[in-house]
Coordinates of all heavy atoms in Angstrom, one line a residue:
S1 N 7.2 97.4 10.7 CA 8.3 97.8 10.1 C 9.3 98.1 11.2 O 8.9 98.7 12.2 CB 8.0 99.0 9.2 OG 9.1 99.5 8.5
L2 N 10.6 97.8 11.0 CA 11.6 98.0 12.1 C 12.9 98.6 11.5 O 13.3 98.2 10.5 CB 11.8 96.6 12.7 CG 12.8 96.6 13.9 CD1 12.3 97.2 15.1 CD2 13.3 95.2 14.2
R3 N 13.4 99.5 12.4 CA 14.8 100.1 12.0 C 15.6 100.2 13.3 O 15.1 100.5 14.4 CB 14.6 101.6 11.5 CG 15.9 102.2 11.2 CD 15.8 103.6 10.7 NE 14.9 104.5 11.4 CZ 15.3 105.2 12.6 NH1 16.5 104.9 13.1 NH2 14.5 106.0 13.3
H4 N 16.9 99.9 13.1 CA 17.8 100.0 14.3 C 19.0 100.8 13.7 O 19.5 100.4 12.7 CB 18.2 98.6 14.8 CG 19.2 98.7 15.9 ND1 20.4 98.1 15.8 CD2 19.2 99.5 17.0 CE1 21.2 98.4 16.9 NE2 20.5 99.2 17.7
S5 N 19.4 101.8 14.5 CA 20.5 102.6 14.0 C 21.4 103.0 15.2 O 21.0 102.9 16.3 CB 20.0 103.9 13.4 OG 19.1 103.7 12.4
H6 N 22.7 103.2 14.8 CA 23.6 103.6 15.8 C 24.1 105.0 15.6 O 24.0 105.5 14.4 CB 25.0 102.8 15.8 CG 24.7 101.3 16.1 ND1 24.6 101.0 17.4 CD2 24.6 100.2 15.3 CE1 24.4 99.6 17.4 NE2 24.4 99.1 16.2
G7 N 24.5 105.8 16.8 CA 24.9 107.2 16.5 C 23.8 108.1 16.0 O 24.1 109.1 15.3
R8 N 22.6 107.9 16.4 CA 21.5 108.8 16.1 C 21.4 110.0 17.0 O 22.5 110.5 17.4 CB 20.2 108.1 16.1 CG 20.1 106.9 15.3 CD 20.2 107.2 13.8 NE 19.1 107.9 13.3 CZ 18.9 108.2 12.1 NH1 19.8 108.0 11.1 NH2 17.8 108.9 11.8
R9 N 20.3 110.5 17.3 CA 20.2 111.8 18.2 C 20.9 111.6 19.5 O 21.0 110.6 20.1 CB 18.7 112.0 18.5 CG 17.9 112.5 17.3 CD 16.6 112.8 17.5 NE 16.6 114.2 18.0 CZ 15.5 114.8 18.3 NH1 14.3 114.3 18.3 NH2 15.6 116.0 18.7
F10 N 21.7 112.6 19.9 CA 22.4 112.6 21.1 C 23.5 111.6 21.1 O 23.9 111.2 22.2 CB 21.4 112.6 22.4 CG 20.3 113.5 22.2 CD1 19.0 112.9 22.0 CD2 20.5 114.8 22.3 CE1 17.9 113.8 22.1 CE2 19.4 115.8 22.3 CZ 18.0 115.2 22.0
G11 N 23.9 111.1 20.0 CA 25.0 110.2 19.9 C 24.6 108.7 20.3 O 25.4 107.9 20.6
Q12 N 23.4 108.6 20.5 CA 22.8 107.2 20.9 C 22.3 106.4 19.8 O 21.9 106.9 18.8 CB 21.7 107.5 22.0 CG 22.1 108.2 23.2 CD 23.1 107.6 24.0 OE1 23.0 106.4 24.3 NE2 24.2 108.3 24.4
G13 N 22.1 105.1 19.9 CA 21.4 104.2 19.1 C 19.9 104.3 19.3 O 19.5 104.9 20.4
D14 N 19.2 103.9 18.3 CA 17.7 103.9 18.6 C 17.1 102.7 17.8 O 17.7 102.2 16.9 CB 17.0 105.2 18.2 CG 17.0 105.4 16.7 OD1 17.4 104.6 15.9 OD2 16.4 106.4 16.4
I15 N 16.0 102.2 18.3 CA 15.2 101.2 17.7 C 13.8 101.9 17.5 O 13.2 102.5 18.4 CB 15.0 100.0 18.7 CG1 16.4 99.3 18.8 CG2 14.0 99.0 18.0 CD1 16.4 98.2 19.8
Y16 N 13.4 101.8 16.3 CA 12.1 102.4 15.8 C 11.2 101.4 15.2 O 11.7 100.7 14.3 CB 12.4 103.5 14.8 CG 11.3 104.5 14.5 CD1 11.2 105.6 15.2 CD2 10.4 104.2 13.5 CE1 10.1 106.5 15.0 CE2 9.3 105.1 13.2 CZ 9.2 106.3 14.0 OH 8.1 107.1 13.7
A17 N 10.1 101.1 15.8 CA 9.2 100.1 15.3 C 7.8 100.7 15.0 O 7.3 101.6 15.8 CB 9.1 99.0 16.4
V18 N 7.3 100.3 13.9 CA 5.9 100.8 13.5 C 5.0 99.6 13.2 O 5.5 98.8 12.4 CB 5.9 101.8 12.4 CG1 4.5 102.2 11.9 CG2 6.8 103.0 12.7
V19 N 4.0 99.4 13.8 CA 3.0 98.3 13.6 C 1.6 98.8 13.3 O 1.3 100.0 13.7 CB 2.9 97.3 14.6 CG1 4.3 96.6 14.9 CG2 2.6 97.9 16.0
R20 N 0.9 98.1 12.4 CA -0.5 98.5 12.2 C -1.4 97.7 13.1 O -1.4 96.5 13.1 CB -0.8 98.2 10.7 CG -2.3 98.6 10.4 CD -2.5 98.3 8.9 NE -3.8 98.7 8.5 CZ -4.4 98.2 7.4 NH1 -3.6 97.5 6.6 NH2 -5.6 98.6 7.1
L21 N -2.2 98.4 13.9 CA -2.9 97.8 15.0 C -4.4 98.3 14.8 O -4.6 99.4 14.1 CB -2.6 98.1 16.4 CG -1.1 97.7 16.7 CD1 -0.7 98.3 18.1 CD2 -1.0 96.2 16.8
K22 N -5.4 97.6 15.4 CA -6.7 98.1 15.4 C -7.1 98.5 16.7 O -7.0 97.6 17.7 CB -7.7 96.9 14.8 CG -9.0 97.4 14.6 CD -9.9 96.2 14.0 CE -11.3 96.7 13.7 NZ -12.1 95.7 13.0
A23 N -7.4 99.7 17.0 CA -7.8 100.2 18.2 C -9.1 99.7 18.7 O -10.1 99.7 17.9 CB -7.7 101.7 18.3
E24 N -9.3 99.4 20.0 CA -10.6 99.1 20.6 C -11.4 100.3 20.9 O -12.5 100.3 20.9 CB -10.4 98.2 21.8 CG -9.8 96.9 21.5 CD -9.6 95.9 22.6 OE1 -9.8 96.4 23.8 OE2 -9.2 94.8 22.5
L25 N -10.6 101.4 21.2 CA -11.3 102.7 21.5 C -10.6 103.8 20.8 O -9.5 103.7 20.5 CB -11.1 103.0 23.0 CG -11.6 102.0 24.1 CD1 -11.2 102.3 25.5 CD2 -13.2 102.0 24.0
E26 N -11.3 105.0 20.5 CA -10.9 106.0 19.8 C -10.0 106.9 20.9 O -9.0 107.6 20.4 CB -12.0 106.9 19.2 CG -12.7 106.4 18.0 CD -11.8 106.5 16.8 OE1 -11.1 107.4 16.6 OE2 -11.8 105.4 16.0
E27 N -10.5 106.9 22.1 CA -9.7 107.7 23.1 C -8.4 107.1 23.5 O -8.3 106.0 23.7 CB -10.6 107.8 24.4 CG -10.1 108.5 25.5 CD -10.8 108.4 26.8 OE1 -11.9 107.8 26.9 OE2 -10.4 108.8 27.8
I28 N -7.4 108.0 23.6 CA -6.1 107.6 24.0 C -5.9 107.9 25.4 O -6.1 109.2 25.8 CB -5.0 108.4 23.1 CG1 -5.1 107.9 21.7 CG2 -3.6 108.0 23.7 CD1 -4.3 108.7 20.8
Q29 N -5.6 107.0 26.3 CA -5.3 107.2 27.8 C -3.8 107.3 27.9 O -3.0 106.4 27.8 CB -5.9 106.1 28.5 CG -7.4 106.0 28.5 CD -7.9 104.9 29.4 OE1 -7.1 104.1 29.9 NE2 -9.2 104.8 29.4
L30 N -3.4 108.6 28.0 CA -1.9 109.0 28.0 C -1.4 108.8 29.4 O -2.0 109.3 30.4 CB -1.9 110.4 27.6 CG -0.4 111.0 27.3 CD1 0.2 110.2 26.1 CD2 -0.5 112.4 26.9
D31 N -0.3 108.2 29.5 CA 0.6 108.0 30.7 C 1.6 109.1 30.7 O 2.6 109.0 29.9 CB 1.2 106.6 30.8 CG 2.0 106.5 32.0 OD1 2.3 107.4 32.8 OD2 2.3 105.3 32.4
K32 N 1.3 110.3 31.4 CA 2.3 111.4 31.4 C 3.7 111.0 31.9 O 4.6 111.7 31.5 CB 1.8 112.5 32.2 CG 0.4 113.1 31.6 CD 0.8 113.9 30.5 CE -0.5 114.7 30.0 NZ -0.3 115.5 28.8
G33 N 3.9 109.9 32.5 CA 5.2 109.5 32.9 C 5.9 108.9 31.7 O 7.2 108.6 31.8
E34 N 5.2 108.5 30.6 CA 5.9 107.8 29.4 C 5.9 108.9 28.2 O 7.0 108.9 27.6 CB 5.0 106.7 29.0 CG 4.9 105.5 30.0 CD 6.2 104.8 30.0 OE1 7.0 104.7 28.8 OE2 6.7 104.2 31.0
L35 N 4.8 109.6 28.1 CA 4.7 110.4 26.9 C 4.2 111.8 27.2 O 3.4 111.9 28.1 CB 3.9 109.8 25.8 CG 4.2 108.5 25.2 CD1 3.0 107.9 24.4 CD2 5.4 108.6 24.4
A36 N 4.7 112.8 26.5 CA 4.2 114.2 26.7 C 2.9 114.4 25.9 O 2.0 115.2 26.3 CB 5.2 115.1 26.3
D37 N 2.7 113.7 24.7 CA 1.5 113.8 23.9 C 1.4 112.6 23.0 O 2.3 111.9 22.8 CB 1.8 115.1 23.1 CG 0.5 115.5 22.2 OD1 -0.5 115.1 22.7 OD2 0.7 116.1 21.2
A38 N 0.2 112.3 22.6 CA -0.2 111.2 21.8 C -1.5 111.6 21.1 O -2.4 112.2 21.7 CB -0.2 109.9 22.5
R39 N -1.6 111.3 19.8 CA -2.8 111.4 19.1 C -2.9 110.6 17.9 O -1.8 110.2 17.4 CB -3.0 113.0 18.6 CG -2.0 113.4 17.8 CD -2.1 115.0 17.5 NE -1.0 115.5 16.9 CZ -1.1 116.0 15.6 NH1 -2.2 116.0 15.1 NH2 0.0 116.5 15.1
W40 N -4.0 110.4 17.4 CA -4.3 109.6 16.1 C -4.0 110.6 15.0 O -4.4 111.7 15.0 CB -5.7 109.1 16.0 CG -6.2 108.0 17.1 CD1 -7.0 108.2 18.1 CD2 -5.6 106.7 17.3 NE1 -7.0 107.2 18.8 CE2 -6.1 106.2 18.4 CE3 -4.6 106.0 16.6 CZ2 -5.9 104.9 18.7 CZ3 -4.4 104.7 16.9 CH2 -4.8 104.2 18.1
M41 N -3.3 110.1 13.9 CA -3.1 110.9 12.8 C -3.4 110.2 11.5 O -3.0 109.0 11.4 CB -1.6 111.3 12.7 CG -1.2 112.3 13.9 SD 0.5 112.8 13.8 CE 0.6 113.9 12.4
S42 N -3.9 110.9 10.5 CA -4.2 110.2 9.2 C -2.8 110.3 8.5 O -1.9 111.0 8.7 CB -5.3 110.9 8.5 OG -4.7 112.3 8.1
K43 N -2.8 109.5 7.4 CA -1.7 109.4 6.5 C -1.5 110.8 5.9 O -0.3 111.2 5.8 CB -1.8 108.3 5.4 CG -0.5 108.3 4.6 CD -0.7 107.1 3.6 CE 0.7 107.1 2.8 NZ 1.2 108.3 2.3
A44 N -2.6 111.5 5.6 CA -2.4 112.8 5.0 C -1.9 113.8 5.9 O -1.0 114.7 5.6 CB -3.9 113.3 4.5
E45 N -2.2 113.7 7.2 CA -1.6 114.5 8.3 C 0.0 114.3 8.3 O 0.8 115.2 8.5 CB -2.3 114.4 9.5 CG -3.6 114.9 9.7 CD -4.2 114.6 11.0 OE1 -4.5 113.4 11.3 OE2 -4.6 115.5 11.8
I46 N 0.3 113.0 8.3 CA 1.7 112.8 8.4 C 2.4 113.2 7.1 O 3.7 113.8 7.4 CB 1.9 111.2 8.6 CG1 1.3 110.8 9.9 CG2 3.4 110.7 8.5 CD1 1.2 109.2 10.1
D47 N 1.9 113.0 6.1 CA 2.6 113.5 4.8 C 2.8 114.9 4.8 O 3.8 115.5 4.2 CB 1.8 113.1 3.6 CG 1.7 111.5 3.3 OD1 2.6 110.8 3.8 OD2 0.9 111.1 2.5
K48 N 2.0 115.7 5.5 CA 2.2 117.2 5.5 C 3.4 117.6 6.4 O 3.9 118.8 6.2 CB 0.9 117.9 6.1 CG -0.2 117.8 5.2 CD -1.4 118.6 5.8 CE -2.6 118.5 4.9 NZ -3.8 119.1 5.5
I49 N 3.9 116.7 7.2 CA 5.0 117.0 8.2 C 6.2 116.3 8.0 O 7.1 116.3 8.8 CB 4.6 117.0 9.7 CG1 4.2 115.5 10.0 CG2 3.4 117.9 10.1 CD1 3.8 115.3 11.5
V50 N 6.4 115.7 6.7 CA 7.6 115.0 6.4 C 8.7 116.0 6.1 O 8.4 117.0 5.4 CB 7.3 114.1 5.2 CG1 8.7 113.4 4.8 CG2 6.3 113.0 5.6
E51 N 9.9 115.7 6.5 CA 11.0 116.7 6.2 C 11.1 116.8 4.7 O 10.8 116.0 3.9 CB 12.3 116.1 6.9 CG 12.8 114.9 6.3 CD 14.2 114.4 6.8 OE1 14.9 115.3 7.1 OE2 14.4 113.2 6.7
T52 N 11.7 118.0 4.3 CA 12.0 118.2 2.9 C 13.5 118.5 2.9 O 14.3 118.6 3.8 CB 11.3 119.5 2.4 OG1 11.8 120.6 3.2 CG2 9.8 119.3 2.7
D53 N 14.0 118.7 1.6 CA 15.5 119.0 1.5 C 15.8 120.3 2.1 O 17.0 120.5 2.6 CB 15.8 119.0 -0.1 CG 15.6 117.6 -0.7 OD1 15.8 116.7 0.0 OD2 15.4 117.6 -2.0
A54 N 14.9 121.2 2.2 CA 15.2 122.5 2.8 C 15.4 122.3 4.4 O 16.0 123.2 5.0 CB 14.0 123.4 2.6
D55 N 15.0 121.2 5.0 CA 15.1 120.9 6.4 C 16.5 120.3 6.7 O 16.8 120.1 7.8 CB 14.0 119.9 6.8 CG 12.6 120.5 6.9 OD1 12.5 121.6 7.2 OD2 11.8 119.8 6.4
A56 N 17.3 120.0 5.6 CA 18.7 119.4 5.9 C 19.5 120.1 6.9 O 19.7 121.3 6.9 CB 19.4 119.3 4.5
G57 N 20.0 119.4 7.9 CA 20.8 120.0 8.9 C 20.1 120.7 10.0 O 20.7 121.2 11.0
R58 N 18.8 120.7 9.9 CA 18.0 121.4 11.1 C 17.4 120.3 11.9 O 17.1 119.3 11.5 CB 16.9 122.2 10.4 CG 17.4 123.4 9.5 CD 16.2 124.2 8.9 NE 16.7 125.1 8.0 CZ 15.9 125.9 7.3 NH1 14.5 125.7 7.4 NH2 16.4 126.9 6.6
P59 N 17.0 120.9 13.2 CA 16.4 119.8 14.1 C 15.0 119.3 13.5 O 14.4 120.3 12.8 CB 16.2 120.6 15.3 CG 17.1 121.7 15.3 CD 17.4 122.1 13.8
L60 N 14.5 118.3 13.6 CA 13.3 117.7 13.1 C 12.1 117.9 14.0 O 11.1 117.2 13.8 CB 13.4 116.3 12.7 CG 14.3 115.9 11.5 CD1 14.3 114.5 11.2 CD2 13.9 116.7 10.3
A61 N 12.2 118.8 15.0 CA 11.1 119.0 15.9 C 9.7 119.2 15.1 O 9.7 120.1 14.3 CB 11.3 120.2 16.8
G62 N 8.8 118.4 15.4 CA 7.5 118.6 14.8 C 7.5 118.0 13.4 O 6.4 118.1 12.7
K63 N 8.5 117.2 13.0 CA 8.6 116.7 11.6 C 8.8 115.2 11.6 O 9.2 114.6 12.6 CB 9.8 117.4 10.8 CG 9.7 118.8 10.6 CD 9.3 119.1 9.2 CE 9.2 120.6 9.0 NZ 9.0 120.8 7.7
V64 N 8.5 114.6 10.5 CA 8.8 113.2 10.5 C 9.9 113.0 9.4 O 9.9 113.6 8.3 CB 7.6 112.4 9.9 CG1 7.8 110.9 9.6 CG2 6.4 112.5 10.9
S65 N 11.0 112.2 9.7 CA 12.0 112.0 8.7 C 11.6 111.2 7.6 O 10.6 110.5 7.7 CB 13.3 111.2 9.4 OG 12.9 110.0 9.6
M66 N 12.2 111.3 6.4 CA 11.9 110.6 5.1 C 12.0 109.2 5.4 O 11.2 108.3 5.0 CB 12.7 111.0 4.0 CG 12.5 112.4 3.5 SD 13.5 112.8 2.1 CE 14.0 114.4 2.6
G67 N 13.0 108.7 6.2 CA 13.2 107.3 6.5 C 12.1 106.8 7.4 O 11.5 105.7 7.1
N68 N 11.6 107.6 8.4 CA 10.4 107.0 9.1 C 9.1 107.1 8.4 O 8.4 106.3 8.7 CB 10.3 108.0 10.6 CG 11.6 107.6 11.4 OD1 12.2 106.6 11.2 ND2 11.7 108.4 12.4
Q69 N 9.1 108.0 7.5 CA 7.8 108.0 6.5 C 7.7 106.8 5.9 O 6.7 106.1 5.7 CB 7.7 109.2 5.6 CG 6.5 109.1 4.8 CD 6.6 110.0 3.5 OE1 7.7 110.3 3.1 NE2 5.4 110.6 3.2
K70 N 8.9 106.2 5.3 CA 8.8 105.0 4.5 C 8.5 103.8 5.5 O 7.7 103.0 5.1 CB 10.2 104.6 3.9 CG 10.6 105.7 2.8 CD 11.9 105.4 2.3 CE 12.3 106.4 1.2 NZ 13.7 106.2 0.8
M71 N 8.9 103.9 6.8 CA 8.5 102.8 7.7 C 7.0 102.9 8.0 O 6.4 101.9 8.1 CB 9.3 102.9 9.0 CG 10.8 102.7 8.9 SD 11.6 102.7 10.6 CE 10.6 101.6 11.5
I72 N 6.5 104.1 8.1 CA 5.0 104.3 8.3 C 4.3 103.6 7.2 O 3.2 102.9 7.4 CB 4.7 105.7 8.7 CG1 5.4 106.2 10.0 CG2 3.2 106.0 8.6 CD1 5.4 107.6 10.2
E73 N 4.6 104.0 5.9 CA 4.0 103.6 4.8 C 4.1 102.0 4.8 O 3.1 101.3 4.4 CB 4.6 104.1 3.5 CG 4.3 105.6 3.4 CD 4.8 106.3 2.1 OE1 5.6 105.5 1.4 OE2 4.6 107.5 2.0
N74 N 5.1 101.4 5.1 CA 5.3 100.0 5.1 C 4.4 99.3 6.1 O 3.6 98.3 5.8 CB 6.7 99.5 5.3 CG 7.7 99.7 4.2 OD1 7.3 99.9 3.1 ND2 9.0 99.8 4.5
A75 N 4.3 100.0 7.3 CA 3.4 99.4 8.4 C 1.9 99.6 7.9 O 1.1 98.7 8.1 CB 3.6 100.1 9.6
L76 N 1.6 100.7 7.4 CA 0.1 100.9 7.0 C -0.3 100.0 5.8 O -1.5 99.7 5.7 CB -0.1 102.3 6.6 CG 0.1 103.4 7.6 CD1 -0.1 104.8 7.1 CD2 -1.0 103.2 8.7
G77 N 0.7 99.5 5.0 CA 0.4 98.6 4.0 C 0.3 97.1 4.4 O 0.0 96.3 3.6
G78 N 0.8 96.9 5.7 CA 0.8 95.5 6.1 C -0.6 95.1 6.7 O -1.5 95.9 6.7
A79 N -0.5 93.8 7.2 CA -1.7 93.2 7.8 C -2.0 93.9 9.2 O -1.1 94.4 9.9 CB -1.5 91.8 7.9
I80 N -3.2 93.9 9.6 CA -3.6 94.4 10.9 C -3.3 93.3 11.9 O -3.6 92.2 11.7 CB -5.1 94.8 11.0 CG1 -5.3 96.0 10.0 CG2 -5.6 95.1 12.3 CD1 -6.7 96.5 10.0
I81 N -2.7 93.7 13.1 CA -2.6 92.8 14.1 C -3.7 92.8 15.0 O -4.1 93.7 15.6 CB -1.2 93.1 14.9 CG1 -0.1 93.0 13.9 CG2 -1.0 92.2 16.0 CD1 1.3 93.5 14.5
E82 N -4.4 91.6 15.0 CA -5.6 91.5 15.8 C -5.3 91.0 17.2 O -4.4 90.3 17.4 CB -6.6 90.4 15.1 CG -7.0 90.8 13.8 CD -8.1 91.9 13.8 OE1 -8.7 92.2 14.8 OE2 -8.3 92.4 12.7
A83 N -6.1 91.5 18.1 CA -6.0 91.0 19.6 C -6.4 89.6 19.6 O -7.3 89.1 19.0 CB -6.7 92.0 20.5
L84 N -5.7 88.9 20.5 CA -6.1 87.4 20.8 C -7.2 87.3 21.7 O -7.5 88.1 22.6 CB -4.8 86.7 21.3 CG -3.7 86.7 20.3 CD1 -2.5 86.0 20.9 CD2 -4.0 86.0 19.0

């Protein structure tokens, strides 16, 4: 699932891509130069942190936007991409 938008956070455009992959390992090896944190999350965990109407106009720190939730659902419903 792919989204491209202009004028998003900090007045910048962004590209957001979500794909369904099959991990070879459960452990995540985090590159601290790239990301501050990473973890596996179930769909139920994601659903608990989706923004609500009460979040309108507030920063989404720790939340998933409704639009991104739709992208995640589309990706989870798609085919798994297998390693070659």
Side-chain angles (χ1 to χ4, degrees):
S1 189
L2 179 69
R3 174 182 54 79
H4 176 235
S5 306
H6 294 283
R8 300 298 288 184
R9 293 184 82 179
F10 312 111
Q12 302 296 312
D14 73 358
I15 296 175
Y16 193 90
V18 179
V19 296
R20 183 177 177 196
L21 304 169
K22 187 174 185 178
E24 293 180 354
L25 302 170
E26 288 284 324
E27 179 186 353
I28 297 173
Q29 295 181 357
L30 189 64
D31 179 344
K32 294 288 187 179
E34 293 284 330
L35 298 170
D37 188 23
R39 62 187 170 115
W40 298 111
M41 295 179 73
S42 69
K43 184 175 179 319
E45 288 175 295
I46 294 168
D47 289 344
K48 287 180 185 177
I49 60 171
V50 173
E51 70 175 328
T52 64
D53 291 336
D55 295 315
R58 296 181 184 174
L60 290 179
K63 300 258 183 172
V64 173
S65 73
M66 288 183 226
N68 288 348
Q69 181 197 29
K70 289 178 185 174
M71 290 184 57
I72 292 166
E73 287 178 358
N74 288 340
L76 291 176
I80 292 177
I81 299 172
E82 299 286 344
L84 298 177

